[in-house]
Amino acid sequence: MKSSGIGGQAVLEGIMMKNGTWYAVAVRKPDGTIDVTKEEYLGITQNHSWMKKPFVRGAFNMIDSLILGMRTLTQSTTILEEAEEEAEKAEKAASFNTEGKEKSAADEKESFWDKHISKEQQEKLLMGGTVAFSVVLAVAIFMLLPMFCARFLERWLDSHLLISVFEGVLRVVIFVVYVWAISFMEDIRRTYMYHGAEHKCINCIEHGLPLTVENVRKSSKEHKRCGTSFMLFVMLISIFVFMFLQMDNVLLRMVSRIVFVPVIAGISYEVLRLAGNSDHWLVNLVSRPGLLLQGLTTSEPADDMIEVAIRAVEAVFDWRAYEEENFGRQDEKE
């Protein structure tokens, strides 16, 4: 296995693949066609070299991933909505006048914002607000909630170490239950299937196989550089970090859970990078819990989902040149 450096994310009825500063979103439209959009995303670390330093870059890469993730989810949603609207208009041609009036009314409502705030600024404001809300919600659920729950043990336990371990374990349990619970939603189930297709494509390339539906199908749906593994590393590493932070004041304890998120993210990111670039037995052992958890966040994809993933990869990554350089000629491989 040789790391290719490409990464991705499942979106609604599609896949986002990123290579360097370029990313592509491939979405399967209701009519069966695949819509592929390729754009450049420079990120907040692009013009700041200090943000790329080890143990610092993790926190900023996490923010970049959130921003790009929200952007690509919005793009996939827009593509699907526009496709559905076109289909509805074709089916309801008889009610054209009514729909025309509704559209005009909507345009009038949007005209105020169009006059004062550009479309690009509106998207940035919406994206910034969504990312900020997501971060606050995640910190509240996965950092602060376990802390408050662990405080009840102080009535019976006088050991800071045991209370910290309980808090960390509870944090992991909440995360696993959350991942499992949302899997019952139909859209999430399909997203987990696309997530599996994303991993299978990357594994196929990184093991020297030509990127075909057949080869992707037999590749693993788990990958050591997955965001699921990153989140689990964050949960587990937080146990060890907060073991050494003994604070009796509740307010200071809350602040510490927030302030140390970038530190924990920085450490977790370096562990994830090491896992994705090494096949050492110890690294594989450390990666094992994350791979097991991916059993919840990835599912076996259908062939049409694999086709979408392949289109996303080929839009930003020359896998033929990569495999020829790293594995020799691949034309005769099956």
Side-chain angles (χ1 to χ4, degrees):
M1 187 276 290
K2 294 186 179 180
S3 179
S4 61
I6 61 173
Q9 172 185 305
V11 296
L12 290 178
E13 292 301 322
I15 301 282
M16 180 275 286
M17 285 291 186
K18 185 174 183 292
N19 179 34
T21 60
W22 290 94
Y23 73 93
V25 180
V27 176
R28 176 77 70 177
K29 297 168 71 173
D31 63 2
T33 59
I34 301 175
D35 184 287
V36 181
T37 305
K38 179 181 176 181
E39 294 184 15
E40 187 174 25
Y41 178 73
L42 298 178
I44 59 177
T45 64
Q46 190 65 25
N47 298 318
H48 304 281
S49 58
W50 65 272
M51 290 185 180
K52 300 177 182 178
K53 300 293 184 182
F55 297 101
V56 174
R57 58 192 173 190
F60 295 104
N61 277 317
M62 182 175 67
I63 294 172
D64 269 339
S65 296
L66 282 170
I67 294 173
L68 184 57
M70 293 296 180
R71 176 184 292 185
T72 53
L73 277 172
T74 302
Q75 288 177 339
S76 64
T77 302
T78 301
I79 291 169
L80 292 174
E81 286 178 348
E82 289 177 349
E84 288 175 0
E85 286 176 4
E86 290 176 4
E88 287 177 3
K89 286 180 181 179
E91 292 176 1
K92 300 179 180 179
S95 58
F96 173 78
N97 292 333
T98 304
E99 290 180 1
K101 290 176 182 178
E102 290 176 356
K103 185 177 179 181
S104 297
D107 290 341
E108 288 176 5
K109 291 180 182 178
E110 294 175 356
S111 62
F112 173 82
W113 296 103
D114 292 337
K115 287 179 181 178
H116 296 82
I117 305 176
S118 67
K119 185 177 180 180
E120 184 178 352
Q121 289 175 323
Q122 291 178 39
E123 290 178 353
K124 286 183 178 180
L125 287 171
L126 179 61
M127 201 66 62
T130 304
V131 170
F133 176 77
S134 301
V135 170
V136 170
L137 190 63
V139 170
I141 294 175
F142 300 117
M143 288 296 177
L144 299 183
L145 179 60
M147 185 204 77
F148 282 111
C149 291
R151 286 193 66 213
F152 288 105
L153 285 181
E154 293 177 0
R155 300 178 183 179
W156 302 282
L157 285 177
D158 192 29
S159 171
H160 169 74
L161 179 63
L162 289 177
I163 292 172
S164 296
V165 170
F166 174 79
E167 178 186 339
V169 171
L170 183 59
R171 187 173 292 120
V172 173
V173 170
I174 291 174
F175 178 63
V176 172
V177 170
Y178 167 77
V179 168
W180 169 77
I182 64 174
S183 68
F184 290 97
M185 301 169 62
E186 184 179 353
D187 286 343
I188 298 299
R189 279 201 302 269
R190 290 189 61 79
T191 301
Y192 283 175
M193 292 173 73
Y194 276 108
H195 190 194
E198 173 221 330
H199 284 186
K200 281 174 169 286
C201 274
I202 297 175
N203 277 319
C204 178
I205 293 169
E206 294 183 341
H207 285 82
L209 295 172
L211 195 61
T212 64
V213 172
E214 181 181 355
N215 287 333
V216 172
R217 192 191 304 120
K218 63 186 180 183
S219 297
S220 173
K221 66 182 181 66
E222 284 84 33
H223 196 282
K224 290 190 289 185
R225 287 190 286 110
C226 176
T228 303
S229 294
F230 172 76
M231 290 302 298
L232 186 60
F233 283 142
V234 168
M235 305 294 170
L236 295 175
I237 290 172
S238 69
I239 297 176
F240 297 98
V241 171
F242 294 135
M243 275 183 184
F244 300 98
L245 294 175
Q246 186 170 357
M247 298 178 182
D248 296 326
N249 186 284
V250 177
L251 182 59
L252 287 177
R253 202 179 298 180
M254 287 177 59
V255 172
S256 71
R257 275 23 177 201
I258 298 171
V259 170
F260 277 85
V261 167
V263 176
I264 296 169
I267 299 171
S268 302
Y269 181 77
E270 298 307 320
V271 175
L272 190 75
R273 278 178 62 91
L274 176 63
N277 290 282
S278 174
D279 262 337
H280 190 277
W281 69 267
L282 183 59
V283 174
N284 290 337
L285 182 64
V286 171
S287 302
R288 191 61 188 162
L291 296 176
L292 290 173
L293 185 58
Q294 288 174 41
L296 291 177
T297 63
T298 61
S299 299
E300 288 295 333
D303 285 356
D304 61 342
M305 294 177 172
I306 293 175
E307 291 171 359
V308 173
I310 291 175
R311 289 285 299 276
V313 171
E314 293 182 331
V316 293
F317 186 75
D318 188 347
W319 61 267
R320 293 177 180 83
Y322 167 81
E323 292 194 347
E324 185 170 347
E325 178 183 349
N326 290 276
F327 299 97
R329 294 199 59 82
Q330 303 296 307
D331 297 342
E332 298 180 358
K333 278 199 174 187
E334 295 182 358

